[in-house]
Amino acid sequence: MTPPPEPSPRPRKTTQLRQLLTSPTLDFILEAHNGISARVVEEAGFKGIWASGLALSAQFGVRDNNEASWTQVVDMVEFMADVTGVPILLDGDTGYGNFNNMRRLVHKLEQRGVAGVCIEDKLFPKTNSFIDGERQELADIDEFCGKIAAGKDSQRDDDFCVVARVEAYIAGWDTTEALRRAEAYRQAGADAILIHSAWSRPDQILEFAREWAARAPLVIVPTKYYATPTALFREARINLVIWANHMIRSAVSAMQETARRIFEDESLIEVEDQVASVKEIFRLQGADELAEAERRYFLGSRRDARAIVLAASRGDGLADLTDDRPKVMLPVNGKPLLHRLVEACKRVHIDKVTVVAGYRAESIEAPGIERVVNTDYAATGELASLECARASFRDDMVVLYGDLMFRGYVLRSLVESEHPLTVVVDSQPPGHETSGAPDYAYCSAIDDRALWEQDVWLEHVSREASRDGRAADGRWIGMLRTRGEGRRWLTAALDRLLGRDDFATLSMRDLINELVAAGHPIRVIYVHGHWMDVNSLRDLEHAGQFTLGQR
Ligand code: SPV
Ligand code: MG
């Protein structure tokens, strides 16, 4: 069987716009005024975008009187062009000056991926056509024709489009004047004519279209004669309809309602379900693409990263709940602790997770994990479990306890550490709720929360809250990271401890202290709360609350 043909690549945006203007079918483009609204317009199915001068001014909070500079406009339109694949027709007002400004405008628009520009035959600085239109002065025809010709002569892409907008009706002139201008602009090189009208009925437009007789593509903006059935535009052989300002207007209505509600309620409860989710914003921003690119380019060195999760113990403080499973498989808000941990690892691009099981090893499961078993879990300690995972050791490795819960940044800052060995220490004094036996950490300096990325090193870990008359600086939370030579130091320390008669009883504390004793620096990252471990029924209750603040 022959494979289906590859979909042909999309034509250039300029070519797409030219097709919209010249095809005999009626097409539609919708206003957008920034990157996210442009994406929304494209996703809705529109084949083009109108970068409206009114809407761009409004989103800056200024008037449609050339108060925003043309470079500010072009900067915003560039954001719009960057995030969309359909052509943008910029409402270029009067071209922001004379023929020379027009040349530079066209040049810059081409550079920034804008497919065409529409200029109107008024005077700079312009005023929106719907504000005292009849009092607005029109441009001199010859001068305007020169501007069109200058724009066309300076374009480098043959398909870039210059649309000439006739404001004769707006300024109170009749069809004869509108036609006279349109014909002059056509002859000057305009690719299409936009005929504008402020009437609530389409009479002017339809009369113009009849007399124009398709001499060049025709574009309309039915903002005022919006009640006209679209079929009439088809019959009149209009090529392109611009829905000119409906994204900014709908955004304003929605924002006004949301602001009013939040202000009145002093709460988000009534609006939360009415507004786009944060997830939806992330989607529109293309967050997934960045995550994928990170995997490809940025985290190349972490491709082989590994988490070793120590999960052999039953969790004696959890009574009957652990009859048939170890504590790491206990659900917190419906999801087992271990699953939460594996997800946290994935979020920092650690996709390979080795879990050392022991008690009820068969009940330990989580998507994508590798399970190794410490069959002698009842009679041995943490280092014996760690030893079971030795085949999984990697240079880039995090060792962590299976019953940990933490905010996302805790693990993220650990994996971002550049040091061969790093641990996380909580400098917050243990609260009453703390159960289990903390691993107190003694460090080279106390946590100075006023400092960013403080240079602190671990000196000792102990079950004792004070040592030689000195209080501990915090608690080691049960996370250790190795990088490069740090992994070799760790393996060598483990080897040395393996030679001891009491190896079966040794804990991670002993390994850390052995590393320190061997002169290996262990970097400390201080946190202030934002984690917990689960040792008791009360912890399990708190864990439910904790998940609400997770990520
Ligand atoms: C715009 O959208 O800025 C326009 C169309 O120029 S109108 O507001 O109808 O003049
Ligand atoms: Mg405008």
Side-chain angles (χ1 to χ4, degrees), residues 215-235:
R215 279 178 256 173
L218 213 49
V219 183
I220 59 169
V221 183
T223 303
K224 291 288 181 184
Y225 46 96
Y226 61 87
T228 310
T230 300
L232 246 58
F233 302 146
R234 280 205 178 86
E235 273 168 35

Side-chain angles (χ1 to χ4, degrees), residues 31 50-55 64 91 93 120 122 126 128-130 165 167 196 221 223 242 244-245:
E31 168 263 314
W50 171 243
S52 151
L54 170 63
D64 189 14
D91 173 4
D93 292 342
E120 61 198 61
K122 291 202 303 228
K126 52 64 60 89
N128 186 277
S129 304
F130 301 141
R165 166 166 157 180
E167 291 279 286
H196 206 11
V221 183
T223 303
I242 297 175
N245 45 40

Side-chain angles (χ1 to χ4, degrees), residues 246-263:
H246 300 79
M247 297 304 277
I248 190 83
R249 285 165 60 195
S250 54
V252 165
S253 305
M255 288 192 288
Q256 284 169 330
E257 173 59 13
T258 302
R260 188 187 62 76
R261 268 250 80 97
I262 296 176
F263 182 77

Side-chain angles (χ1 to χ4, degrees), residues 97 109 119 136 144 195 208 233 242 305 323 354 359 510 525 528:
L109 292 179
I119 53 169
Q136 296 191 22
F144 195 70
I195 182 72
F208 181 91
F233 302 146
I242 297 175
D323 275 351
T354 300
Y359 175 74
D510 298 302
I525 294 175
H528 204 71

